[in-house]
Structures are given as structure tokens and as C-alpha cells.
């Protein structure tokens, strides 16, 4: 497998501008001759689709929801980072780059991350011009808040609904192009396969979720913006329909999968309450600006929190990390929550929770100020738990939130299959082993608005693409593969439901491929996943038929892919014999329990190739070495 | 922790052309902390085991922001809890032995796809008609160049929080989409960035609303009462004013 990251030569700050100077262009009158498929309409997909259509390309967009506006980007709460330095607190492109690469524990490409920081300011300009109502100060200028992993205030926000407002901005730009006829929008369509002809991505297979019909679509390039795979854990903060299927099917057609084991467990979520639970709800990390995290110092202290005196409260983040305190990065906060609950200091009925307390902030700033900042989050918390966070501390616990791993892409965001581009959470590109807060929105929009529109032109201008039609045998073969798998699922007619299998898979993943991992656990996880996968194919009950709207058939098809992905994640976690970012191997820690990297041996991207050897799944790992020319690798410290 | 037995009357409809009917179900061991949709998940698990086709209903984020879920519960869009989407409604709002009627949001402009799932693409077409500010990627000026007074920005935000669920349409005796359309206009029209296209936008969106077959607003106020994010009915008054200004 050929893996060329295609990072331009030259000084870090000039790489992107030099690349833009050098890349090939498609003339305006030729752009209309190209068809581009965009799969997924979240921040990355909607922004890419609208920008490509504005340039004159013919764009087709596909989403599994009933409207492009419902993609899960909509649920991002806290904000979006940019290096504007409006607060005059010393921020710069370099500092945003540095914080992001350090936050990712030095497992991302320098050049990509620097470009992300450069693009950050353009995103804010674009969003404001679209009418995104960011928080403003009394003078009418944009306001910023601080976020985990940074010592400057660089986060732009729309109360606790920043993702919603940015997505609606991108969605509206996209719908404008639907109106102009440059975008054909196909909601309620799920991509089931990638069509590769002469080694290039030339189309996709979808299932119309309403009629059940399998459909074929040809194109000159495919842009995959289908999000992350956190739902492999069953319980996560992802939307119920978020899934890995489109990305995984591309992987099975030859697209390499990078760093699958890098999963972010978010520290501030509402704890699990029972078996029926279908998802976990995130409480924005911005709450850690004013909330103080603590547990009782004494094991088994069952007193209500208000009765526990100050000196019997263990503010463990503030004590262990005095310079960042409650604003340590997510991986550090999650790991410490697990540590204190493992010691038996957890609170609430399950003991699997810690307090996030606003008492002192309310005393300092008044209830009105706290309400203005976090009102909707407090209301959401109260609605779910029946507790009033103005009066009693919130109970929080880590939950699976974001996947840094994803399909491998080069500097142009193109996968190793020419013509297949991957943007947003679906690629592995910018966050290394841990993503900082307020950086997902930034990356999705940087990819979609300001990278793909240029790099796709470079690809199209440099290739001679023979016209293909959907009557090509590669389309028929892919359509048949997709359809046969649905038949196989329906034919099992077993006794266990899809959700029962998914929940069991999620438990294996959470316990053994979750916050902390070790060799023994990972090896047994691989065996358990394989055994459960076999049982799934022998005993799953998929209701109904395939030729009409059937959500449980959609789920079954996705869970089948999770079973394969889960094994790859465990294998990836097993081979990475170091701790870095969110990947904590019990065997590799400092004496103080911090992640211990091994830069000599593991400063690489683990790139997995899928091989179908006589119908048997085999995987092979390749390494893309990470070279750090501009930053010095350091042990991350937030103390 | 108390558990309850809940009786359900659920609308079942095979497809757009089927006439549809209510079916009765009983769900046992309902936990007060369950969400309403989790209660339906539990019922569906049971139906699947009994080899009965599960009930189809739309949902995605399950945190009240995506706008996918939109059940009409005992005749009220999103059920009894004020400013709460169906997915954020919890079973602690019900008691043992309650009977709950569940229907899709009904409107000629929202045809039923299956059971409780409807086609709301009419909303997308209203936005496509003019619900945006035209600014090509890359052509935006520096963000702080145009100050927006804080109260203007805050009010724009309040209207911009519409989640597009369609509860306003389901609740309206006229099946009007005036609150949905008015909210987008009230968001964009009041911002300095949105002023140049104000008239064109207003006319285009109002016209599209009619083309889609939504009824007109006659000030019942049901839309505001059921809106899960509390969009104010003032949006409709603003829409009317903008429309009059635009056409005369």
C-alpha cells in the first residue's frame, strides 16, 4: 500500500499558501462538467457541498436523516476555537497550533494542524457573515470564553448551542444552492458501498430508506463526511443514527483506516441510570469554567453534598493540576474521574459519578450570571435527572464522545483511493490521540469550507477521468453485495434483538477498550468480539422486510459493521504499547499515573489495510511516521 | 424507584396510501427515569421478540436539539411538558395505569411515511426559497467589522434556536407553518448582515409556505404553546410586517 502524506516542503507557516499557489485549477466553464457526491451533511458535508456548488460543480448530497439540518454536528454545545486574539490575551495561530498538537499528545501531523489554526479565523468571518448569532459583548463585538487545554480565551460560542447555529449556517448556505439547482439533495438515503473503477472512486450505492430501493450513483469524486464511530460502544453522546457504515464500507473497498483506537471519552456527561438507557447526554465542557469538580475524601460518605464540609471535599483536579485546575484536557479529566471512582470515592446511587459544583460560582457572580451562561444546560440537566443544579451539585461521569481515528487522508484530505476525499470527524487528520474542546467544529468547517474546495480541483484537473455510467459492472457488483447483506440479516430469524447484541458489544468495548486498556483485557476483548459476532450472524432477529421503511434493518446493518470495526480497534489498542492522549495502557504510565508516551517506537500513525483473502478478513498495519520539525516533543504536563 | 404499567394507543400506518388505525399495547415495568422514547424502545424490543413489526418513529440526537422527534401525545405535540421535545419527556410525568395516545404530527404538508414517521421536506424547501444570507465561501469581511448590538444578537439567537421539528404545524388548527417561517425571518431580517436581502427573502419564503400547502395563521397561538424551544409568536407578527413592507 502506498501512503504518501503529500505534505508540502518549506516553512510551517508557508506550507498551505505555497500549496495553494502550486495546485492545479479547474476553469469556471469546466467545473460544471464535474459531478461530486457528498455523503453526510453535518458541518463538514454541508460546508463542502455549498462551497463546491458555489464554485460551479454539480453536487449531490446524501444524508440518513429526513433533513440535512439534523446531522449530529447540531448537538455540539460549547463553542468553536479561533486564533483571533480579540481578548488581547496573547493568542496567535502558532499558539492555537501548539495547544492542538500538544493536546493531541503529539500524534498528529504538524502541517495539517498548523493549517487548521490558520483557517480558524476565516471560519469565524464566514459564520458571522452568514448570520450565525455568536455571543457578543455590550459594545456589539464578539465575545470569547475559555475552554479545556488552553490558557487563553479563544472560544466563540452561541450560548450552549454553537453547533446548532454553525450547522444551520452551513445548511442554509447549502439549501441556497439546492434552490439554484447546483445541489441535488437526497435525504433519507444511506450509503452502503463505494464504487471503485480503475482504482478510483467513481460512485456510491445507497439504500432509499423510505422505499428500501438500492440505488446507484456515479460521480467524478466522492467526499465522505459521515462523522465518527463512537456508537460502537452502544452508549455514547452520539446521535442514535450516527454510524460507521459508509466509512467502513470504504475501508473494505481499500481505504485505509488510521488510529482506530483513539477514542475520546468526555469527562462531563450525565451518568447512566438504567439498562433501558439508549444514549448518554453531554454537559458542555464549558461548565468546567465555573464548576468545581470534587468527590468526598472519605470512602462511602453518603451525606448529601451540602452537608460535606469544605475540608472533607477532594477537589482532585485543582489539587493535582494547580495551573490548569478544572480546565485540564478531556482525557486527563476523564482518567481522573475513573481513578477516584475506582478508589470507591464516587457519588450517586451507582457510585459511578463525581460532583460538578456551581456553589462557589453562584456565590461569586450571582445566579443571574451563571444562568445567562449555562441556563439551557442547567435546564437540560434538571429535566433528565430531576435535580436542580443551582441548589445541588451536578453528578457527572465520562462517556464516549468523539473518535479521533478515521479514514486515512493525505494533506489534500484524499484517502489512498484516488477520488475519495474524507472530511470532518470521519477522517483521522488533526486531533492526534486527543481532541481539545471546541476543535471539532473548527476542523469540520476548515475541511469543508477552506480545504476540500481547493484540493478537489487539484485532483480533477490532474486526472483524466473516463466517463462511467451506473450500468458498469462495478456498480452492479456493489449493489448486489449491499442487497445480499440485507437478505442475510433478514434470513437469520434468531431469538436475540439487535439492541441486545449491540449493548453486549458496547459492554465489552467500554470495559476493555475504554478509558484504560491493557494487554490481557484487549486480547480477551478480541476473542469475545469474535464469538459475539458469530453469535450475531446465527441468532439475530431482524424484523420486517427490506422493501420499505425499516429502521431496525438499518441498525442491524450498522451493528454488523461495528462488530468488524470493534475488533480492529482492539487490535490497534493492543499494538500501541504506549499511552498517549486518550489511549491509556495500564502498563505504560508515569509514577503519578499520567500517560507515558514512547516517542522512539510509536511516533507514527497506525494505518490499517483491509484484505479480503479468499473471503476471510485479514488486516495489515502500515506506519506513517510522524516527524516533528517545528515543535519539540514534551511530556504533556498540566500541573 | 417505582415502576409503572402504561397503556398505549398507537397510530399504525403501513405507508402513505394506507388509511391507518390505532393499535393498543401495554408496556410493563416502565421506570420513572426512562425517557418517553426509551419506553417505546422497550415496547419495540418486546414486539420484535413476538415477531410483530416494531413501531416506526423518528429520532436521532435524543437531547432535544436535532428536531427529529415530533410525536403528538394525547393530542398535544411533544406531550404535556412545556418547552420540551418528545425525547426529553420522561416517564416521571406519568403514573401507573395511564393510557397514552400517540399519533404522528398531522398535516397535509407532512404526509405519513410509516406509522409515526412523516415527510417534513416542505420545511427544507421553505429554507431553500430564501432562508439564508448570500455570502460565498471566502468572501466574508473580518468578523468584528460589523458590530451587532448585544440585544439584537440575543433576539436573533432566540429565533434561530428553532429545531425544525414541525410541532407548530401539528398543533395549528390551520396547519400553518407561520411560526417556523417567521422564526427564520425574525432571525435573519434583524441582523445587519441580513438586511440587503430582507424583502426578497420574506416574499420568497412566505410564497413557498403557501405553495407547500400549509394553511394561513389566524392567531390561535397553539404553535407557541407547544414549541419545544419557546419560539415567540411575535415572529409571526414580524413576518407580517416585513411582508407588507416588502410588497407595498
Amino acid at each position: 500500500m502506498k501512503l504518501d502524506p503529500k505534505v508540502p516542503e518549506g516553512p510551517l507557516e508557508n506550507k498551505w499558501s505555497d500549496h495553494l499557489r502550486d495546485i492545479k485549477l479547474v476553469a469556471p466553464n469546466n467545473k460544471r462538467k464535474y459531478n461530486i457526491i457528498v455523503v453526510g451533511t453535518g458541518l463538514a458535508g454541508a460546508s463542502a457541498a455549498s462551497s463546491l456548488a458555489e464554485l460551479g460543480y454539480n453536487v449531490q448530497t446524501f444524508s440518513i436523516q429526513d433533513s440535512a439540518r439534523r446531522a449530529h454536528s447540531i448537538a455540539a454545545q460549547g463553542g468553536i476555537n479561533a486564533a483571533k486574539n480579540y481578548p488581547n490575551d496573547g493568542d496567535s495561530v502558532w499558539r492555537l497550533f501548539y495547544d492542538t498538537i500538544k493536546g493531541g499528545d503529539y500524534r498528529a501531523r504538524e502541517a495539517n494542524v498548523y493549517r487548521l489554526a490558520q483557517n480558524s479565523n476565516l471560519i469565524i468571518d464566514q459564520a458571522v457573515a452568514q448570520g450565525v448569532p455568536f455571543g457578543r459583548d455590550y459594545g456589539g463585538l464578539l465575545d470569547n470564553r475559555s475552554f479545556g487545554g488552553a490558557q487563553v480565551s479563544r472560544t466563540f460560542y452561541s450560548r450552549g448551542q454553537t453547533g446548532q447555529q454553525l450547522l444551520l449556517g452551513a445548511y442554509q448556505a447549502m439549501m441556497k444552492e439546492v434552490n439554484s439547482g447546483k445541489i441535488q439533495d437526497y435525504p433519507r438515503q444511506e450509503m452502503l458501498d463505494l464504487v471503485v473503477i480503475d482504482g478510483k472512486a467513481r460512485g456510491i450505492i445507497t439504500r432509499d430508506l423510505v422505499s428500501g430501493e438500492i440505488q446507484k450513483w456515479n460521480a467524478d469524486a466522492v467526499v465522505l463526511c459521515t462523522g465518527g464511530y463512537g456508537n460502537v460502544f452502544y452508549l455514547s453522546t452520539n446521535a442514535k443514527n450516527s454510524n460507521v457504515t459508509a466509512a467502513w464500507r470504504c475501508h473494505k473497498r481499500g481505504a485505509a483506516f488510521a488510529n482506530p483506537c483513539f477514542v475520546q471519552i468526555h469527562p462531563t456527561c450525565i451518568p447512566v441510570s438504567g439498562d433501558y438507557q439508549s444514549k448518554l447526554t453531554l454537559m458542555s465542557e464549558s461548565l468546567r469554567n465555573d464548576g468545581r469538580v470534587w468527590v468526598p475524601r472519605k470512602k462511602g460518605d453518603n451525606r448529601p453534598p451540602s452537608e460535606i464540609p469544605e475540608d472533607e471535599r477532594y477537589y482532585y483536579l485543582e489539587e493535582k493540576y494547580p495551573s490548569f485546575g478544572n480546565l485540564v484536557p478531556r482525557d486527563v479529566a476523564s482518567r481522573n474521574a475513573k481513578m477516584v471512582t475506582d478508589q470507591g470515592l464516587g457519588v450517586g446511587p451507582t457510585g459511578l459519578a463525581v460532583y460538578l459544583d456551581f456553589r462557589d460560582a453562584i456565590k461569586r457572580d450571582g445566579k443571574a450570571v451563571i444562568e445567562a451562561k449555562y441556563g439551557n444546560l442547567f435546564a437540560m440537566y434538571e429535566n433528565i435527572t430531576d435535580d436542580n443544579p443551582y441548589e445541588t451539585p451536578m453528578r457527572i461521569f465520562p462517556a464516549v464522545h468523539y473518535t479521533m481515528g478515521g479514514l486515512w487522508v493525505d494533506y489534500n484530505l484524499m484517502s489512498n483511493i484516488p477520488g475519495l476525499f474524507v472530511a470532518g470527524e470521519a477522517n483521522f487528520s488533526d486531533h492526534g490521540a486527543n481532541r481539545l474542546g471546541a476543535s471539532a467544529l473548527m476542523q469540520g468547517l476548515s475541511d469543508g469550507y477552506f480545504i476540500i474546495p481547493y484540493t478537489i480541483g487539484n485532483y480533477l484537473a490532474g486526472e483524466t477521468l473516463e466517463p462511467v455510467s451506473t450500468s458498469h459492472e462495478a456498480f452492479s457488483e456493489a449493489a448486489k453485495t449491499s442487497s445480499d447483506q440485507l437478505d442475510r440479516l433478514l434470513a437469520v430469524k434468531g431469538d436475540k434483538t439487535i439492541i441486545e447484541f449491540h449493548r453486549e458489544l458496547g459492554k465489552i468495548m467500554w470495559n476493555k477498550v475504554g478509558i484504560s486498556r491493557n494487554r490481557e483485557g484487549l486480547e480477551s476483548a478480541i476473542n469475545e468480539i469474535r464469538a459475539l459476532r458469530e453469535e450475531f450472524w446465527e441468532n439475530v432477529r431482524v424484523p420486517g422486510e427490506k422493501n420499505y421503511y425499516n429502521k431496525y434493518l438499518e441498525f442491524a446493518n450498522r451493528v454488523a459493521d461495528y462488530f468488524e470495526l470493534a475488533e480492529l480497534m482492539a487490535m490497534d489498542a493492543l499494538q500501541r504499547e504506549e499511552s498517549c492522549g486518550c489511549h491509556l495502557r495500564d502498563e505504560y504510565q508515569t509514577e503519578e499515573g499520567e500517560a507515558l508516551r514512547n516517542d522512539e517506537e510509536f511516533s507514527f500513525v497506525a494505518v490499517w489495510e483491509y484484505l479480503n483473502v479468499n473471503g476471510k478478513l485479514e488486516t495489515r498495519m502500515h506506519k506513517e511516521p510522524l516527524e516533528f520539525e517545528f515543535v519539540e516533543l514534551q511530556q504533556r504536563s498540566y500541573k | 424507584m417505582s415502576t409503572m404499567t402504561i397503556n398505549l394507543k398507537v397510530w399504525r400506518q403501513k405507508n402513505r396510501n394506507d388509511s391507518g388505525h390505532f393499535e393498543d399495547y401495554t408496556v410493563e415495568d416502565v421506570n420513572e427515569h426512562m425517557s418517553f422514547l426509551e419506553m417505546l424502545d422497550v415496547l419495540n424490543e418486546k414486539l420484535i421478540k413476538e415477531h410483530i413489526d416494531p413501531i416506526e418513529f423518528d429520532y436521532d440526537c435524543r437531547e432535544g436539539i436535532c428536531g427529529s422527534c415530533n410525536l403528538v401525545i394525547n393530542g398535544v405535540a411533544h406531550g404535556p411538558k412545556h418547552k420540551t421535545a418528545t425525547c426529553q419527556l420522561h416517564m416521571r410525568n406519568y403514573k401507573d395505569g395511564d393510557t397514552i395516545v400517540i399519533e404522528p404530527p398531522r398535516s397535509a404538508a407532512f404526509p405519513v411515511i410509516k406509522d409515526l414517521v412523516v415527510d417534513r421536506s416542505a420545511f427544507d424547501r421553505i429554507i431553500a426559497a430564501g432562508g439564508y444570507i448570500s455570502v460565498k465561501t471566502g468572501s466574508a469581511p473580518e468578523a468584528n467589522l460589523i458590530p451587532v448590538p448585544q440585544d439584537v444578537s440575543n433576539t436573533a439567537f432566540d429565533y434561530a434556536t428553532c429545531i425544525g421539528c414541525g410541532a407548530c404545524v401539528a398543533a395549528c388548527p390551520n396547519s400553518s407553518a407561520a411560526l417556523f417561517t417567521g422564526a427564520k425571518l425574525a432571525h435573519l431580517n434583524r441582523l445587519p448582515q441580513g438586511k440587503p436581502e430582507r424583502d426578497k427573502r420574506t416574499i420568497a419564503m412566505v410564497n413557498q409556505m403557501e405553495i407547500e400547502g400549509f394553511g394561513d395563521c389566524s392567531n390561535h397561538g397553539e404553535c407557541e404553546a407547544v414549541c419545544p424551544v419557546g419560539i415567540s409568536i411575535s415572529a409571526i407578527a414580524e413576518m407580517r410586517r416585513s411582508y407588507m413592507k416588502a410588497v407595498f
Side-chain angles (χ1 to χ4, degrees):
Chain A
M1 180 188 275
K2 216 175 105 234
L3 288 176
D4 179 3
K6 297 197 180 123
V7 174
E9 295 296 319
L12 190 58
E13 56 275 21
N14 294 350
K15 282 180 192 290
W16 181 231
S17 51
D18 288 355
H19 190 55
L20 288 179
R21 182 195 62 204
D22 296 340
I23 61 178
K24 299 180 201 77
L25 299 172
V26 179
N29 55 342
N30 283 334
K31 287 200 180 89
R32 70 174 73 99
K33 295 178 190 159
Y34 289 108
N35 292 317
I36 299 171
I37 283 174
V38 178
V39 188
T41 57
L43 285 173
S47 59
S50 63
S51 305
L52 290 165
E54 285 163 11
L55 289 170
Y57 295 108
N58 298 309
V59 179
Q60 291 169 314
T61 50
F62 296 84
S63 57
I64 51 174
Q65 289 90 355
D66 71 319
S67 164
R69 65 181 289 154
R70 304 205 200 282
H72 196 52
S73 307
I74 202 135
Q77 299 171 353
I80 177 166
N81 287 330
K84 287 280 193 188
N85 193 31
Y86 288 155
N88 198 28
D89 56 0
D91 201 7
S92 62
V93 168
W94 171 268
R95 206 177 278 277
L96 173 54
F97 153 73
Y98 181 78
D99 286 348
T100 308
I101 205 129
K102 175 188 171 197
D105 221 358
Y106 307 98
R107 289 294 173 264
R109 266 186 220 138
E110 278 182 325
N112 287 53
V113 179
Y114 195 85
R115 172 178 62 185
L116 175 67
Q118 286 174 308
N119 283 346
S120 68
N121 292 342
L122 297 173
I123 297 165
I124 302 303
D125 297 342
Q126 186 66 29
V128 166
Q130 290 169 343
V132 170
F134 284 123
R136 289 177 182 266
D137 60 23
Y138 291 117
L141 301 175
L142 293 157
D143 192 24
N144 291 115
R145 57 166 60 142
S146 49
F147 240 70
Q151 287 172 313
V152 294
S153 292
R154 62 160 73 100
T155 305
F156 294 77
Y157 63 94
S158 292
R159 260 173 253 174
Q161 288 155 252
T162 318
Q164 180 198 28
Q165 294 309 313
L166 287 167
L167 180 61
L168 291 180
Y171 156 78
Q172 286 163 200
M174 181 184 141
M175 293 320 281
K176 174 175 177 281
E177 297 307 321
V178 169
N179 204 38
S180 78
K182 291 306 289 182
I183 294 181
Q184 302 291 318
D185 180 33
Y186 299 98
R188 291 200 200 269
Q189 286 267 3
E190 179 158 24
M191 172 174 164
L192 295 184
D193 211 345
L194 179 76
V195 179
V196 181
I197 297 172
D198 296 334
K200 291 171 195 156
R202 295 308 303 269
I204 63 170
I205 302 297
T206 64
R207 178 167 178 266
D208 179 323
L209 300 181
V210 176
S211 68
E213 195 190 337
I214 301 289
Q215 298 182 349
K216 305 165 192 165
W217 309 85
N218 61 337
D220 299 297
V222 174
V223 188
L224 202 73
C225 309
T226 48
Y229 48 87
N231 272 346
V232 66
F233 289 82
Y234 185 64
L235 286 179
S236 82
T237 65
N238 288 5
K240 289 299 290 176
N241 294 298
S242 299
N243 69 84
V244 78
T245 288
W248 190 253
R249 303 284 167 96
C250 290
H251 178 53
K252 289 173 94 164
R253 290 282 174 193
F257 210 111
N259 296 334
C261 82
F262 288 168
V263 175
Q264 179 165 80
I265 318 260
H266 197 291
T268 54
C269 301
I270 298 179
V272 176
S273 73
D275 264 354
Y276 50 80
Q277 190 131 356
S278 60
K279 80 153 279 162
L280 296 171
T281 302
L282 173 80
M283 291 279 103
S284 169
E285 165 170 350
S286 61
L287 292 167
R288 288 196 277 140
N289 271 311
D290 288 296
R292 300 179 68 191
V293 178
W294 65 278
V295 288
R297 280 193 193 277
K298 262 198 320 235
K299 230 169 146 169
D301 188 339
N302 293 328
R303 287 174 291 175
S306 59
E307 288 172 23
I308 300 179
E310 203 55 25
D311 61 346
E312 291 180 44
R313 296 174 171 207
Y314 179 24
Y315 295 97
Y316 55 91
L317 292 177
E318 295 174 26
E319 284 184 28
K320 286 174 75 174
Y321 308 96
S323 64
F324 278 72
N326 293 298
L327 287 176
V328 291
R330 292 173 175 179
D331 56 333
V332 179
S334 291
R335 199 175 303 143
N336 278 279
K338 182 172 189 292
M339 238 181 268
V340 293
T341 53
D342 284 351
Q343 289 162 20
L345 301 175
V347 300
T350 60
L352 290 175
V354 300
Y355 289 128
L356 178 64
D357 196 344
F358 291 86
R359 183 195 65 182
D360 296 343
I362 292 170
K363 219 184 286 171
R364 183 186 68 222
D365 298 337
K367 191 181 163 198
V369 170
I370 296 302
E371 192 172 359
K373 281 193 195 168
Y374 311 114
N376 66 321
L377 298 171
F378 277 38
M380 187 197 239
Y381 180 85
E382 181 170 5
N383 183 48
I384 293 173
T385 62
D386 218 13
D387 275 344
N388 178 352
Y390 295 101
E391 284 162 11
T392 187
M394 285 184 179
R395 278 178 287 118
I396 55 163
F397 200 62
V400 171
H401 181 55
Y402 186 90
T403 50
M404 282 74 67
L407 291 181
W408 183 88
V409 288
D410 64 15
Y411 188 70
N412 294 313
L413 304 185
M414 190 164 85
S415 72
N416 56 310
I417 299 178
L420 174 66
F421 290 76
V422 191
E425 190 179 351
N427 73 29
F428 89 106
S429 164
D430 293 356
H431 305 295
N434 173 50
R435 178 174 69 72
L436 289 185
S439 287
L441 303 183
M442 175 171 68
Q443 186 226 331
L445 292 176
S446 170
D447 290 359
Y449 283 134
F450 298 111
I451 299 174
I452 293 270
Y454 303 115
T455 58
I456 223 168
N458 185 44
Y459 167 74
L460 294 171
E463 291 285 332
T464 318
L465 293 167
E466 299 299 326
V468 296
S469 96
T470 53
S471 53
H472 191 287
E473 61 181 20
F475 278 93
S476 326
E477 183 271 322
K480 187 169 182 305
T481 305
S482 301
S483 181
D484 286 353
Q485 164 129 335
L486 299 176
D487 289 332
R488 267 179 75 206
L489 286 163
L490 287 161
V492 179
K493 296 196 187 299
D495 298 322
K496 255 166 85 170
T497 67
I498 304 146
I499 290 180
E500 284 171 332
F501 276 108
H502 195 178
R503 204 186 277 132
E504 271 183 58
L505 174 65
K507 276 196 182 134
I508 300 171
M509 295 302 283
W510 177 253
N511 291 332
K512 296 181 172 167
V513 199
I515 296 183
S516 64
R517 300 132 177 214
N518 57 55
R519 170 167 289 279
E520 195 190 346
L522 290 165
E523 282 172 346
S524 83
I526 291 172
N527 289 330
E528 288 172 52
I529 292 163
R530 285 179 183 162
L532 193 62
R533 182 168 65 215
E534 250 172 62
E535 194 198 332
F536 173 82
W537 282 104
E538 281 161 11
N539 197 28
V540 70
R541 180 95 210 174
V542 184
E545 290 167 37
K546 67 174 180 178
N547 57 347
Y548 54 77
Y549 191 91
N550 186 347
K551 202 158 218 155
Y552 284 85
L553 176 60
E554 297 166 30
F555 285 151
N557 207 18
R558 296 167 193 165
V559 171
D561 289 338
Y562 287 138
F563 271 114
E564 296 179 3
L565 166 74
E567 184 178 335
L568 189 69
M569 290 168 72
M571 285 167 62
D572 188 42
L574 188 60
Q575 67 78 23
R576 193 167 278 278
E577 292 179 332
E578 64 162 352
S579 296
C580 58
C582 291
H583 170 67
L584 185 88
R585 282 282 299 263
D586 295 332
E587 305 96 316
Y588 310 100
Q589 305 183 51
T590 65
E591 279 175 16
E592 294 151 314
E594 304 295 334
L596 187 62
R597 282 198 330 265
N598 178 348
D599 294 328
E600 296 257 300
E601 290 178 80
F602 289 93
S603 189
F604 63 78
V605 179
V607 188
W608 294 86
E609 184 183 10
Y610 182 102
L611 298 161
N612 194 336
V613 183
N614 304 326
K616 255 192 88 180
L617 158 72
E618 277 186 27
T619 50
R620 185 179 298 157
M621 194 186 84
H622 306 263
K623 295 177 184 179
E624 181 202 328
L626 289 168
E627 279 144 29
F628 293 90
E629 261 185 272
F630 304 95
V631 296
E632 197 188 329
L633 270 64
Q634 289 174 345
Q635 188 64 42
R636 256 184 352 156
S637 170
Y638 293 94
K639 287 189 184 282
Chain B
M1 203 179 288
S2 59
T3 63
M4 304 172 265
T5 298
I6 299 287
N7 303 305
L8 300 176
K9 281 186 182 304
V10 183
W11 185 258
R12 303 297 311 253
Q13 182 174 339
K14 278 204 167 84
N15 53 47
R16 191 179 284 222
N17 303 321
D18 180 26
S19 55
H21 64 283
F22 282 103
E23 288 262 357
D24 293 347
Y25 302 96
T26 301
V27 196
E28 281 153 8
D29 296 327
V30 174
N31 177 310
E32 60 178 336
H33 289 300
M34 273 181 190
S35 73
F36 195 85
L37 299 184
E38 284 167 348
M39 182 268 296
L40 289 178
D41 290 342
V42 169
L43 170 61
N44 273 347
E45 288 291 283
K46 189 176 137 213
L47 295 180
I48 292 168
K49 295 213 163 193
E50 291 167 1
H51 304 175
I52 298 169
D53 268 14
I55 300 160
E56 297 287 358
F57 53 100
D58 259 331
Y59 56 86
D60 200 17
C61 77
R62 296 210 175 182
E63 42 190 276
I65 192 78
C66 76
S68 296
C69 65
N70 57 351
L71 300 180
V72 175
I73 301 165
N74 287 339
V76 180
H78 291 305
K81 205 150 179 268
H82 188 52
K83 283 176 70 170
T84 302
T86 308
C87 66
Q88 295 297 288
L89 177 64
H90 284 74
M91 294 311 293
R92 69 178 76 96
N93 293 290
Y94 295 92
K95 57 180 192 307
D96 190 38
D98 275 357
T99 296
I100 306 172
V101 182
I102 308 174
E103 294 169 88
R106 296 185 191 277
S107 162
F110 289 168
V112 172
I113 290 173
K114 190 165 192 286
D115 297 338
L116 306 167
V117 176
V118 300
D119 178 351
R120 287 170 288 186
S121 52
F123 272 8
D124 285 331
R125 292 187 291 271
I126 292 175
I127 297 296
Y132 45 77
I133 290 170
S134 300
V135 47
K136 282 193 177 174
T137 302
S139 62
E142 209 291 321
N144 257 347
L145 204 61
I146 311 163
V148 182
Q150 199 186 44
D151 58 328
V152 174
S153 180
N154 284 346
T155 310
F157 173 85
D158 288 339
Y159 288 119
T161 56
C162 166
I163 60 173
C165 62
C168 45
V169 174
C172 178
N174 310 338
S175 279
S176 169
L179 192 68
F180 171 80
T181 310
K184 188 42 66 190
L185 289 168
H187 160 210
L188 298 176
N189 283 357
R190 71 182 353 90
L191 290 171
Q193 306 93 301
K195 294 270 195 267
E197 292 169 288
R198 185 181 55 195
D199 292 352
K200 191 171 159 261
R201 170 186 309 121
T202 307
I203 293 171
M205 290 179 74
V206 169
N207 287 350
Q208 190 64 36
M209 192 169 73
E210 277 183 36
I211 294 167
E212 295 296 341
F214 293 105
D216 204 354
C217 167
S218 48
N219 295 325
H220 286 269
E222 295 286 337
C223 52
E224 184 187 76
V226 299
C227 178
V229 292
I231 302 288
S232 163
I233 198 171
S234 310
I236 300 177
E238 282 194 28
M239 176 176 76
R240 291 199 188 292
R241 277 200 297 275
S242 301
Y243 187 77
M244 295 310 265
K245 258 195 233 163
V247 291
F248 293 109

